[in-house]
Structures are given as structure tokens and as C-alpha cells.
């Protein structure tokens, strides 16, 4: 469907929408006043349906994919990111570089945790695997919650390659972050490190567990035996 446009896809998505699902999504993704996704709009489309549409539109032009990413509808942005990750995986080095740079230039549209988590490892992490990681540290220092989340979640790709250095360094930088969604993301990445090398995780925890936000620690030690979890949570390791 390479001749399709973002406008065509919006028409398809609106037909796939469900008001009840949309209403639930608006609560689940915290779109109320003062919440992290204030004002975001949902059509009410489940993720598996969007993944199927991404396969249908995998040949959508980059120009039209970016228009889709700029949509006011959450599901359209998520679909655009699914398409971009597919394109990235199948692209030449030159095209990968283009997609990576476009991703960074359009981060204002990657503005919820599911949008970050479904794309950052597979575009940012994958692109930087064998390159300088300075961009991850720049993002980790951003004032924007979602850019900081991109920084830590992008390292999931590196974790899967058994490279934990940047995950641990960025986790350290984000220890004092005030946002719960960062605490959750860091805890998740630390838990993933622990799945692959428990001693490295325990070494990090030994240094920082008493100052880690509770949510971060809870997620990081989720797979530990109950007695050991209690010891960490009581500060008696």
C-alpha cells in the first residue's frame, strides 16, 4: 500500500475505532487535566489491530509516515512508530541513519510510555549499538519526561546484546528523577540486566538500593526470592 497517504490511513483508523475502548484508554493513559498525557485523544483501537495495520502499510512513504506521527490521535502515532520500526529493521545503513535522525527530530510526538517503549529500543538503541552513545546521556538530562524515558528504554536493545554499561550509567543518572514513569522504566531495565547477569545487578543495588525510589527498587528486584526482596525493602541487605 505504498500509494496510501496519512489521510487515507486516518479514515481507516476512524472506522476501526471503538468509543468504549477509547474511553477506557483515555483513563488508562492519564489524559486528564494535570496528568502526564493531558489532552491526548484516542480512537479506541487495540494494539494487535494496529500491528496488523502496520504490516499492511509497511511500504508507506517516510513523508506520509511522519504526517501520521504528527496526528492528534494516539493510535495513529503508535501506528506510525510501528511502521518506522519495521522500516528501520529492513533498511540500509543510510536509511537507518535517516530514520534515526527523523525520530530525534520528532520526539515531541512520541509523548506517552507505550509510544516510547514500542520504538526507542528498536530505533535509537539499535542505531547506537556500535556508535557513540552521547545522545543517550543528552536525552537522560532532558527536562522532558519522554526524552528521559527514551534514554533508558533505548538501552533495552543493548541489554539484549549483553551490554549493560550504558543502562547502569543512565540508571545512576536517573536515580533522583521525580517522575514515577522514569522510576518504572529504570526498574524495568535493571530487572532485564538481572535476568542476564544477576551479579551485575546486585553490585549496582549494593551501591544504590537505599537511595532508589521505592517503585524502581520493587521492579528491579521483582524476580528475587521473597526473603531477599524483604531484605532489600527493609534496607537490611
Amino acid at each position: 500500500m505504498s500509494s496510501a497517504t496519512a489521510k487515507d490511513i486516518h479514515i481507516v483508523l476512524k472506522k476501526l475505532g471503538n468509543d468504549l475502548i477509547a474511553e477506557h484508554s483515555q483513563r488508562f493513559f492519564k489524559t486528564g487535566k494535570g496528568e502526564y498525557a493531558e489532552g491526548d485523544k484516542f480512537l479506541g483501537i487495540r494494539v494487535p489491530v494496529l500491528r496488523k495495520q502496520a504490516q499492511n502499510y509497511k511500504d508507506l512513504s517516510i513523508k506520509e509516515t511522519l504526517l501520521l506521527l504528527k496526528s492528534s490521535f494516539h493510535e495513529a502515532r503508535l501506528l506510525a512508530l510501528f511502521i518506522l520500526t519495521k522500516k528501520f529493521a529492513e533498511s540500509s545503513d543510510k536509511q537507518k541513519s535517516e530514520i534515526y535522525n527523523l525520530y530525534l527530530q520528532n520526539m515531541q510526538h512520541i509523548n506517552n510510555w507505550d509510544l516510547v517503549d514500542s520504538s526507542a529500543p528498536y530505533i535509537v538503541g539499535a542505531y547506537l549499538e556500535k556508535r557513540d552513545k552521547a545522545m543517550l546521556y543528552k536525552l537522560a538530562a532532558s527536562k522532558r519526561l519522554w526524552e528521559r524515558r527514551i534514554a533508558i528504554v533505548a538501552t533495552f536493545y543493548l541489554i539484549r546484546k549483553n551490554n549493560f554499561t550504558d543502562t547502569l550509567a543512565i540508571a545512576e543518572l536517573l536515580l533522583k528523577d521525580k517522575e514515577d514513569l522514569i522510576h518504572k522504566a529504570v526498574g524495568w531495565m535493571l530487572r532485564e540486566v538481572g535476568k542476564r547477569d544477576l551479579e551485575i545487578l546486585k553490585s549496582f543495588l549494593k551501591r544504590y538500593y537505599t537511595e532508589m525510589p521505592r517503585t524502581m527498587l520493587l521492579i528491579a528486584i521483582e524476580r528475587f526470592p521473597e526473603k531477599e526482596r524483604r531484605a532489600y525493602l527493609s534496607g537490611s541487605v
Side-chain angles (χ1 to χ4, degrees):
M1 296 191 183
S2 56
S3 61
T5 66
K7 189 174 180 180
D8 296 332
I9 296 171
H10 271 107
I11 292 169
V12 171
L13 293 179
K14 285 179 180 179
K15 289 178 181 176
L16 290 170
N18 179 294
D19 289 343
L20 286 175
I21 296 173
E23 186 181 341
H24 173 267
S25 294
Q26 290 193 194
R27 291 195 305 271
F28 182 74
F29 285 101
K30 308 297 184 188
T31 63
K33 188 169 180 60
E35 293 183 310
Y36 61 73
E38 181 179 347
D40 203 357
K41 298 194 298 183
F42 286 79
L43 292 164
I45 308 171
R46 303 285 192 198
V47 169
V49 176
L50 291 172
R51 289 195 182 278
K52 184 176 180 181
Q53 292 301 316
Q55 185 61 34
N56 291 342
Y57 294 108
K58 63 180 180 175
D59 296 324
L60 188 69
S61 72
I62 288 288
K63 179 183 176 183
E64 294 298 325
T65 305
L66 285 177
L67 286 175
L68 200 60
L69 183 60
K70 295 174 183 178
S71 172
S72 62
F73 291 107
H74 186 101
E75 292 94 339
R77 300 197 302 280
L78 183 55
L79 175 57
L81 291 166
F82 286 156
I83 293 169
L84 280 177
T85 60
K86 282 181 175 294
K87 286 184 180 297
F88 185 92
E90 298 167 4
S91 290
S92 66
D93 285 347
K94 182 180 178 182
Q95 290 168 323
K96 280 181 165 66
S97 183
E98 178 188 1
I99 292 169
Y100 167 78
N101 285 310
L102 287 171
Y103 187 94
L104 295 182
Q105 290 160 16
N106 288 277
M107 286 186 293
Q108 69 270 32
H109 306 296
I110 306 166
N111 57 353
N112 213 314
W113 59 264
D114 61 325
L115 304 178
V116 171
D117 298 357
S118 62
S119 60
Y122 315 108
I123 295 177
V124 179
Y127 184 78
L128 295 178
E129 181 195 1
K130 296 178 180 176
R131 294 178 172 88
D132 184 272
K133 308 295 190 298
M135 179 54 69
L136 294 179
Y137 295 86
K138 181 179 179 181
L139 292 173
S142 171
K143 292 181 179 179
R144 288 192 72 239
L145 159 64
W146 305 119
E147 291 181 10
R148 301 197 304 279
R149 186 158 175 128
I150 287 170
I152 187 65
V153 175
T155 70
F156 195 10
Y157 189 90
L158 308 178
I159 293 169
R160 286 173 164 171
K161 302 291 183 178
N162 291 313
N163 178 352
F164 312 130
T165 304
D166 297 291
T167 302
L168 298 175
I170 292 169
E172 185 178 353
L173 291 175
L174 296 174
L175 281 175
K176 305 292 187 184
D177 202 283
K178 291 179 169 55
E179 296 287 349
D180 187 59
L181 282 166
I182 298 300
H183 304 167
K184 289 176 178 176
V186 173
W188 170 28
M189 291 303 106
L190 291 173
R191 185 183 68 207
E192 292 299 327
V193 169
K195 286 181 184 178
R196 293 156 178 84
D197 194 319
L198 188 56
E199 291 312 308
I200 285 180
L201 172 58
K202 286 187 175 182
S203 176
F204 183 89
L205 292 174
K206 185 177 181 180
R207 292 177 64 192
Y208 298 115
Y209 84 97
T210 57
E211 59 186 280
M212 290 169 72
R214 190 79 165 179
T215 300
M216 188 187 295
L217 178 60
L218 277 167
I219 295 172
I221 64 174
E222 192 174 69
R223 294 164 60 89
F224 286 19
E226 185 180 351
K227 183 178 179 182
E228 196 170 2
R229 284 202 311 273
R230 285 202 306 266
Y232 276 103
L233 293 171
S234 65
S236 58
V237 174

